[in-house]
Amino acid sequence: MRNAHSTQAPKKAANLSLNSELLAEAKRLNINLSATMEKALEKEVSQRRKTEWLEQNADAISACNELTENHSLFSDSYRIF
């Protein structure tokens, strides 16, 4: 799946509530919170979009699998393995 967002989009400020000890340790380790959060959000959005797509297309996927099971693939007779 392609990205759902532009990497060139402008940044927007956001307020977050974080575990204070975790935040202190991240600051001590010089972790870039914005970059880390952006990567985490990209991963989560990607996973949820994948799940959403699979749910929306479950009937079509099932029908395609059933058709293949009942009639096999047209290329099956040409396989050499």
Side-chain angles (χ1 to χ4, degrees), residues 1-78:
M1 276 183 173
R2 66 181 187 84
N3 285 341
H5 65 280
S6 167
T7 57
Q8 303 301 316
K11 305 285 185 181
K12 181 172 176 136
N15 292 323
L16 300 172
S17 297
L18 303 171
N19 177 299
S20 60
E21 292 177 7
L22 185 61
L23 181 59
E25 188 66 6
K27 284 184 178 184
R28 184 186 75 75
L29 295 168
N30 295 317
I31 295 173
N32 182 325
L33 297 178
S34 294
T36 302
M37 185 60 187
E38 194 166 311
K39 287 178 189 173
L41 274 175
E42 285 175 357
K43 184 176 179 181
E44 185 67 21
V45 166
S46 177
Q47 183 59 46
R48 290 194 186 203
R49 290 189 72 213
K50 177 182 176 182
T51 300
E52 181 181 64
W53 186 91
L54 288 171
E55 288 172 359
Q56 291 172 348
N57 292 281
D59 291 341
I61 293 167
S62 179
C64 184
N65 289 337
E66 185 178 334
L67 184 67
T68 301
E69 284 181 29
N70 292 338
H71 301 285
S72 71
L73 296 172
F74 75 93
S75 61
D76 282 348
S77 61
Y78 298 104

